[in-house]
Amino acid sequence: MYKKLSTRTANRLLCGGQIINISSVSPDGVSDVMTAAWNCPYDADQVLIVLDRGHTTTANILDNGKFVISIPSEDDISVINKVGSAHGRDVGDKFVWAGIESDKSQILGLDVIPNALAYIECELINRDVLDKTGVCLGKAVNIYVKDGLWDDEGSHFGEGMKLTLSYVHEGLYRVNGREVKV
């Protein structure tokens, strides 16, 4: 026996929707950060994220081709909810607006939310695909992970993966299989 679901729930069956933050900067130097759940690896050194074409982040990436993905933890839920609740076009610098004292990414020098589990600094691979579809393909130019979260022997994000957040729906996340309600 099976239960029929709406086709609009396909994304919830395929993954829990790992939460990431995406940092970018405007041509005028205004920092932006957003929260997203639609992302996945694309190749060994490439990532895929799906962005709304009307978002400030999308415009920033189209303009300069640079962005940073940060992987937050449960400790960051209030911050990621806040930066995910407003558009940069409405509030200006989201770090200032949200009261976040940012760190700078190591290579690209973009503002990022501090103390993330890991960071992936990226350059845009295909501007036309992002512009036409909202699918953002990025090539990693630098990756750094908090000490103790990467398994060198197995070459994977072993301990770190246990701490990543997955989005379920409004106010509900999963961390290592445990539900966290906000």
Side-chain angles (χ1 to χ4, degrees), residues 125-177:
I125 293 173
N126 190 318
R127 188 182 192 289
D128 289 338
V129 169
L130 176 57
D131 191 33
K132 291 177 185 167
T133 68
V135 173
C136 179
L137 301 172
K139 179 170 178 49
V141 296
N142 188 39
I143 300 173
Y144 48 109
V145 178
K146 253 187 190 176
D147 287 336
L149 300 183
W150 185 259
D151 180 336
D152 286 325
E153 186 177 314
S155 189
H156 65 94
F157 196 42
E159 292 303 310
M161 189 55 69
K162 294 177 186 177
L163 302 174
T164 62
L165 290 169
S166 290
Y167 179 76
V168 179
H169 63 79
E170 302 267 339
L172 182 61
Y173 297 89
R174 281 201 185 89
V175 178
N176 199 21

Side-chain angles (χ1 to χ4, degrees), residues 17 19 23 41 53 58 67 71 75 81 90 95 124 164:
I19 293 295
S23 295
R53 293 184 334 204
T58 307
F67 60 99
I71 302 174
D75 295 338
N81 281 343
D90 299 331
F95 290 92
L124 181 64
T164 62

Side-chain angles (χ1 to χ4, degrees), residues 2 13 15-16 31-32 41 51 54 135 147 177:
Y2 290 88
L13 288 175
C15 73
S31 293
D32 186 60
L51 301 170
V135 173
D147 287 336

